[in-house]
Amino acid sequence: MDVAIYLDLRNPPQWRKDWAEHYQRNLEIARSADQMGIAEIWLSEHHFFEDGYLPQPLTFAAAVATQTSRARIGTAVLLLALRNPLLVAEETAIIDILSNGRFDLGVGAGYRIPEFNAYGVDIASRYEIIERNIDEVRDWWREGKMTPPPIQNPIPIWGGFFGPRGARMAGRLNIGLLAASQDVLSPYREGLVEGGHSVEDARMRVNVELVLSLDPEATWAKIAPYVSYQWTSYRRYMADGTGRPEPRVVDADSLRLPTKDGSPPRFQVLTPEDAAEHIKTTYAGLPLEQVYIWASIAGMPDDVVDHHVELMCTRLAPLLKDA
C-alpha cells in the first residue's frame, strides 16, 4: 500500500498568508515530499470558498509536474461535469507530458449547488454528464484524435464517488475508486460485472483523516482550531443553496471520539505506528492500494505540516509498504 499527500491550498482569512507566498509554499511541500519518496500528490477542487480553496487543480498540477520528478500527480477530484471534455483531454495530456507520464485523472460528482449554478450545469444531471464526459475524454485521448497525445495510453481515471450509484458507475466504466468501504465495494463489483469486466479489476484509494506526530497531544493543541474551521466550513458550504440553516461550529474535540455506530473517530492525531495499525484495521479486506492524507489542515502551522509530511514519507510509508 502506498502513501500520498493531499493539497487543497486553503488560506483562511484568520490565518491568511500572501497568496504568491502561499502557492510557492505548497509547491515547496510537493517538492519536499517528492524528494522524500511520497507516492503521489493529489489536488482537490472547489469554487467560491472564502479561503481560496484551489479552484483550478489542472493548472496547479502542471506547476507541480515541473517541480517534481518521481511522485505521481492526481486530481481528487476534478469536477468533470463542469468541464468541456476536449479541454480536459488536452490539458491532462499536457500535464502527462510535463510529468513524463505521472498523471492520474480523478473525477467526482460534486455537491455544491452554487458551483453548478455558476457553470450553468444542472446538478441533478451530474452523474449522466460525468459518465458521458469520461467516455468523451477517453475517446479524445485515443491516438490520432488530438495532438499532442498523453504519454500514458490512456491516463488512469479514478472516480471519487462515495455512494452506491457512483461506485456502480465506476465499475461499469472500469475505473479505480477513490473511496474504500464495504458499502461501496459491492456496487463497485456489480458495476464491473455489468460492464463486462472482472471483479479482480477492483482497485481503491482513500483519503484518511489524520495528522501524524511523535507527540499527538501537543500537536492536537496546535491544530484543533484549524480542524474545527475545516469541518465547519465543509458543512456550511454543503448547506449553501439548499435552504437548510447554517450549521453550528464543529467542536474539534468531538471528532476525536468514536462514532455512535462504533466506527473509529472521524479525525485523529496519531504516531506513525498507531496510524499504520488504524489503517490496516479499518480497511482490512478491501482492494486498497493507496491512502492519501491532507498535508495541511486549513493552513495549519508550517512546522506542524513539515513534521507531518516527513513522518508520512519516512515512517508511515515503510510501515504500510507490504500491507
Side-chain angles (χ1 to χ4, degrees), residues 165-181:
R165 180 180 182 180
R168 182 184 288 273
M169 181 176 70
R172 190 166 57 247
L173 296 170
N174 198 20
I175 64 177
L177 195 61
L178 295 176
S181 71

Side-chain angles (χ1 to χ4, degrees), residues 225 228-229 231-233 235-236 246-252 254:
S228 175
Y229 170 88
W231 283 71
T232 300
S233 64
R235 293 184 181 183
R236 184 173 73 251
E246 184 167 311
R248 291 175 295 178
V249 173
V250 174
D251 174 12
S254 70

Side-chain angles (χ1 to χ4, degrees), residues 58 72-73 75 92 95-96 99 101-105 152 155-156:
L58 294 181
R72 294 190 65 80
I73 304 160
T75 52
T92 54
I95 298 168
D96 204 49
S99 66
R102 293 184 285 125
F103 185 68
D104 287 308
L105 175 59
Q152 299 177 96
I155 292 172

Side-chain angles (χ1 to χ4, degrees), residues 205-219:
R205 299 178 178 182
V206 71
N207 172 223
V208 180
E209 295 278 0
L210 59 82
V211 164
L212 297 177
S213 174
L214 299 182
D215 187 346
E217 290 307 315
T219 297

Side-chain angles (χ1 to χ4, degrees), residues 16 36 52 56 63 85 108 111 140 162 190 192 195 197-198 210 241 264 270 299 316:
R16 178 137 301 161
M36 289 188 288
Q56 297 297 333
Y111 60 84
W140 281 114
F162 306 102
E190 290 167 4
L192 285 166
H197 314 294
S198 169
L210 59 82
L270 299 172
L316 182 61

Side-chain angles (χ1 to χ4, degrees), residues 65-287:
T66 67
Q67 299 292 309
T68 58
S69 60
R70 294 180 292 184
R72 294 190 65 80
I73 304 160
T75 52
V77 291
L78 187 77
L79 300 178
L80 189 59
L82 305 184
R83 299 175 185 268
N84 178 285
L86 173 56
L87 187 60
V88 170
E90 290 180 331
E91 289 183 322
T92 54
I94 297 302
I95 298 168
D96 204 49
I97 292 168
L98 287 172
S99 66
N100 195 26
R102 293 184 285 125
F103 185 68
D104 287 308
L105 175 59
V107 303
Y111 60 84
R112 287 203 66 221
I113 293 174
E115 293 176 332
F116 283 80
N117 290 346
Y119 276 84
V121 177
D122 178 13
I123 193 170
S125 302
R126 64 194 186 279
Y127 283 98
E128 293 87 350
I129 297 171
I130 289 169
E131 186 162 7
R132 182 172 66 248
N133 284 358
I134 288 174
D135 285 336
E136 290 189 26
V137 168
R138 282 172 158 172
D139 188 54
W140 281 114
W141 280 337
R142 291 191 180 98
E143 188 174 353
K145 293 283 288 185
M146 48 161 270
T147 56
I151 289 177
Q152 299 177 96
N153 185 25
I155 292 172
I157 299 180
W158 294 83
F161 307 121
F162 306 102
R165 180 180 182 180
R168 182 184 288 273
M169 181 176 70
R172 190 166 57 247
L173 296 170
N174 198 20
I175 64 177
L177 195 61
L178 295 176
S181 71
Q182 292 294 338
D183 290 341
V184 294
L185 180 58
S186 293
Y188 182 34
R189 285 175 167 166
E190 290 167 4
L192 285 166
V193 173
E194 183 182 329
H197 314 294
S198 169
V199 294
E200 299 301 318
D201 290 338
R203 57 204 187 277
M204 292 176 158
R205 299 178 178 182
V206 71
N207 172 223
V208 180
E209 295 278 0
L210 59 82
V211 164
L212 297 177
S213 174
L214 299 182
D215 187 346
E217 290 307 315
T219 297
W220 178 251
K222 291 182 178 181
I223 72 169
Y226 298 85
V227 175
S228 175
Y229 170 88
Q230 184 196 53
W231 283 71
T232 300
S233 64
Y234 271 130
R235 293 184 181 183
R236 184 173 73 251
Y237 285 119
M238 198 173 292
D240 196 10
T242 66
R244 297 197 302 266
E246 184 167 311
R248 291 175 295 178
V249 173
V250 174
D251 174 12
D253 287 319
S254 70
L255 301 173
R256 304 177 75 193
L257 302 174
T259 59
K260 293 180 180 179
D261 64 1
S263 299
R266 289 166 290 176
F267 189 93
Q268 299 182 83
V269 180
L270 299 172
T271 65
E273 292 73 20
D274 287 343
E277 188 59 34
H278 164 67
I279 290 166
K280 291 176 184 179
T281 301
T282 301
Y283 301 106
L286 296 171

